């Protein structure tokens, strides 16, 4: 990936992408080594179980999430976070609706193509 975000991104000027299924995504900054993304979940929305080659840390900004990481399910609330190692299946459901901040290393090339 040869792309990189601007050095400064402003929330009210940065595109929010509707992913469907009650999910929206906004890029917070990235280069080939690192990426941060804000993800909105509508009430009851699900980030389906999947896996990828990237290390991921997710921080719960708002709402409640039932997170499945490697078959272990935990309830995460604001201020909580989880580490998802490369190639580990994971997903989340938000019964309340909420906001996550996802970070990836290396960056998710598929998010900017």
């Amino acid at each position: 990936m040869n792309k990189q975000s601007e050095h400064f991104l402003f929330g009210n000027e940065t595109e929010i992408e509707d992913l469907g299924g009650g999910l929206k995504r906004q890029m917070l900054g990235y280069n080939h080594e690192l990426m941060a993304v804000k993800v909105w979940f509508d009430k009851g929305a699900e980030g389906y179980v999947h896996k990828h080659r990237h290390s991921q840390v997710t921080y719960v900004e708002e709402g409640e999430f039932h997170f499945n990481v490697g078959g272990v399910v935990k309830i995460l609330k604001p201020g909580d976070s989880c580490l998802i190692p490369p190639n580990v299946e994971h997903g989340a459901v938000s019964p309340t609706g909420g906001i996550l901040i996802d970070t990836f290393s290396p960056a998710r090339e598929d998010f900017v193509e």
Side-chain angles (χ1 to χ4, degrees), residues 1-2 31-35 50-57 83-90 103-113:
M1 183 173 90
N2 295 329
N31 65 15
H32 69 283
E33 296 175 341
L34 180 66
M35 174 179 279
H50 65 287
K51 63 181 178 177
H52 44 74
R53 68 181 187 90
H54 313 82
S55 293
Q56 178 177 339
V57 173
L83 168 69
I84 303 160
N87 300 308
V88 171
E89 290 192 338
H90 60 282
T103 55
F104 301 96
S105 180
R108 293 284 305 264
E109 303 89 350
D110 55 320
F111 284 11
V112 294
E113 292 177 348

Side-chain angles (χ1 to χ4, degrees), residues 57-70:
V57 173
T58 295
Y59 173 80
V60 179
E61 182 176 310
E62 182 179 300
E64 180 180 297
F65 290 84
H66 297 197
F67 251 94
N68 174 347
V69 178

Side-chain angles (χ1 to χ4, degrees), residues 30-52:
Y30 61 91
N31 65 15
H32 69 283
E33 296 175 341
L34 180 66
M35 174 179 279
V37 180
K38 187 172 188 176
V39 183
W40 287 265
F41 281 64
D42 288 346
K43 183 177 181 178
E46 181 174 358
Y48 293 100
V49 174
H50 65 287
K51 63 181 178 177
H52 44 74

Side-chain angles (χ1 to χ4, degrees), residues 14-28 36-43 45-47 65 94 97-102 104 111:
T14 304
E15 176 186 3
I16 298 173
E17 179 183 4
D18 188 340
L19 303 174
L23 300 173
K24 294 179 183 167
R25 172 172 67 205
Q26 183 180 46
M27 306 305 288
L28 300 179
V37 180
K38 187 172 188 176
V39 183
W40 287 265
F41 281 64
D42 288 346
K43 183 177 181 178
E46 181 174 358
F65 290 84
S94 181
I99 300 171
L100 299 177
I101 304 297
D102 289 336
F104 301 96
F111 284 11

